[in-house]
Amino acid sequence: MTEPLELYDVVVTGGGPVGAAAALELHARGARVLLLEAREPASEASPDGRPLALSYGSRLILERLAVWPSLATGASAIQRIHVSQQGRFGRTVLSAADAGLPALGYVVDYGSVLAALEQRVFASGVSTLRGARVTSVAHDATTARVNYETAGAEGACLAPLVAVADGSAESLGAEVRVIDYGQSAITARVSTAIAHGHTAYERFTPEGPLALLPAGGGFSIVWTTRPARGEWLCAAQPGVFLRELQRTFGDRAGRFTAVSARTLHRVSLRVAKHASLGHAVMLGNASQSLHPVAGQGFNLGLRDAWELAEEVSRRGARDPALPQAYRARRRIDRGGGIALTHTLVKVFSNDSALIGVARGAGLTLLDSLPPAKNFFMRRMEFGARG
């Protein structure tokens, strides 16, 4: 006789930072949660030094998850953000003091955030199955059956709600829109001759945005450019790379003196047409994978996780209207984040003289209108509900 399948309130697929955050908060609010993750814990894998720019709103979520204390000592605060365009007039400076916040954000390594969340998941007693690769999700009138493979064996479980946080929206049959920006992003650490003063820079160039994020005694950089040029820059000798970086960015941050190993990632926009499908809801990269400009991707995903937990707490995981309610709840914030990053890339990644003048005028106008600037900063920090 076949053993009955285990029934949970919510099955979370994908144990990355967004999936782990969702599992933690759902568990804290009393839901019976199973977290399925295909890879081994971050502590057993190679460290991932990609920079994450956490908004102040994301810090508040991580504090509520009891994760922030383990990240705080290694985080670098962003007190100011200087926004400009290469070779043209116009600039805007955003400051934490103007926003009435302790900081506009914090720079941490992706690997550090993942490890801290995993440790908290373990300490909290969230049911977790590692080495489990989800193969399919089947829906009936009241529940979803999640099928997975682990150690060469097949397994399955049931839940009225599945939170998909592992980028597998297409495997569930969701319609996904993809826009290739024709850009790749270089990430690395650089040292400068002068201290960063907790200032981040976003400099728009015809090939794509170049971000310098204060990290420790130097900067983490996210430099988007044409794929072929990105490959050349990653393979170039350190001195050549630093010379090209100096030429592209200028002297505002001082002289660049050293660079770490460089990594290259192709960037695109991937958006699930709907944030829910049957008994499944999409979170983080499964819902939307954004261009790194303005650092909105992870912050948006973390708000996905938090607001899903609030909706489950309010309605209960077995409410058949919950997936649609979550989708409606996230529509404005999600749509705004996607539109912001896409518009920035399209408007600023070109060398049109006429558009360049309009961009400069827009940056200057924003800098001279404190109410507009504060509205923009609130949305950047807290999303549509800010």
Side-chain angles (χ1 to χ4, degrees):
M1 184 175 177
T2 305
E3 289 288 327
L5 297 179
E6 194 83 19
L7 177 65
Y8 296 88
D9 293 323
V10 187
V11 173
V12 179
T13 70
V18 171
L24 270 173
E25 186 58 20
L26 287 163
H27 175 78
R29 294 180 185 236
R32 187 163 185 255
V33 180
L34 174 64
L35 177 62
L36 297 175
E37 172 52 47
R39 55 166 184 76
E40 296 304 315
S43 58
E44 299 178 16
S46 300
D48 190 331
R50 285 177 293 167
L52 279 180
L54 303 178
S55 68
Y56 185 74
S58 289
R59 171 191 164 162
L60 296 180
I61 292 175
L62 293 172
E63 283 181 344
R64 292 166 186 165
L65 296 174
V67 170
W68 180 252
S70 63
L71 293 172
T73 56
S76 297
I78 299 174
Q79 297 294 337
R80 289 166 298 281
I81 303 174
H82 185 283
V83 185
S84 63
Q85 55 176 342
Q86 184 187 29
R88 299 189 185 278
F89 85 101
R91 66 107 171 104
T92 292
V93 179
L94 311 175
S95 76
D98 289 344
L101 298 172
L104 289 175
Y106 305 85
V107 181
V108 293
D109 289 344
Y110 175 94
S112 298
V113 174
L114 179 56
L117 281 161
E118 286 181 344
Q119 290 165 11
R120 185 62 189 154
V121 165
F122 178 78
S124 299
V126 176
S127 296
T128 305
L129 184 58
R130 291 201 167 272
R133 184 179 66 85
V134 174
T135 56
S136 64
V137 178
H139 306 266
D140 64 23
T142 58
T143 58
R145 174 185 170 119
V146 181
N147 300 302
Y148 56 86
E149 293 179 352
T150 177
E154 295 182 351
C157 57
L158 300 174
L161 182 67
V162 180
V164 181
D166 59 359
S168 60
E170 287 154 305
S171 68
L172 299 180
E175 184 180 345
V176 177
R177 177 168 62 105
V178 180
I179 296 176
D180 186 348
Y181 292 118
Q183 297 175 345
S184 292
I186 303 166
T187 57
R189 290 284 187 99
V190 295
S191 301
T192 53
I194 61 175
H196 54 61
H198 297 286
T199 298
Y201 298 91
E202 188 86 63
R203 188 159 179 79
F204 292 99
T205 82
E207 294 184 359
L210 167 58
L212 270 63
L213 308 172
F219 288 98
S220 285
I221 66 167
V222 183
W223 184 0
T224 52
T225 186
R226 297 189 307 270
R229 178 165 167 76
E231 291 178 5
W232 178 79
L233 286 166
C234 281
Q237 292 296 315
V240 174
F241 179 88
L242 292 172
R243 184 182 69 236
E244 290 299 307
L245 177 62
Q246 197 84 64
R247 184 183 65 81
T248 303
F249 182 78
D251 300 323
R252 187 172 295 276
R255 183 171 57 87
F256 297 108
T257 59
V259 60
S260 70
R262 288 146 273 169
T263 59
L264 188 67
H265 313 275
R266 190 68 182 248
V267 295
S268 62
L269 173 67
R270 300 177 65 85
V271 178
K273 184 175 180 180
H274 303 297
S276 66
L277 180 68
H279 297 294
V281 296
M282 318 295 175
L283 314 178
N285 284 345
S287 179
Q288 64 278 320
S289 179
L290 308 182
H291 191 287
V293 65
Q296 289 299 292
F298 175 68
N299 298 300
L300 187 59
L302 204 55
R303 295 197 295 272
D304 287 344
W306 185 264
E307 295 205 4
L308 173 64
E310 289 197 331
E311 201 64 34
V312 170
S313 179
R314 187 168 74 90
R315 290 176 172 269
R318 289 170 173 77
D319 186 339
L322 191 144
Q324 287 290 339
Y326 165 79
R327 180 169 152 185
R329 183 184 182 110
R330 295 300 297 141
R331 181 175 292 118
I332 295 176
D333 190 24
R334 179 178 184 252
I338 293 167
L340 171 66
T341 57
H342 181 64
T343 301
L344 286 174
V345 174
K346 301 306 288 184
V347 170
F348 282 90
S349 295
N350 63 74
D351 203 22
S352 165
L354 183 60
I355 295 177
V357 171
R359 290 191 303 248
L363 289 172
T364 301
L365 183 63
L366 179 63
D367 199 56
S368 63
L369 294 174
K373 187 190 292 190
N374 288 338
F375 177 85
F376 179 75
M377 286 191 286
R378 296 287 300 182
R379 294 304 179 268
M380 293 283 287
E381 295 304 310
F382 302 108
R385 295 176 183 271

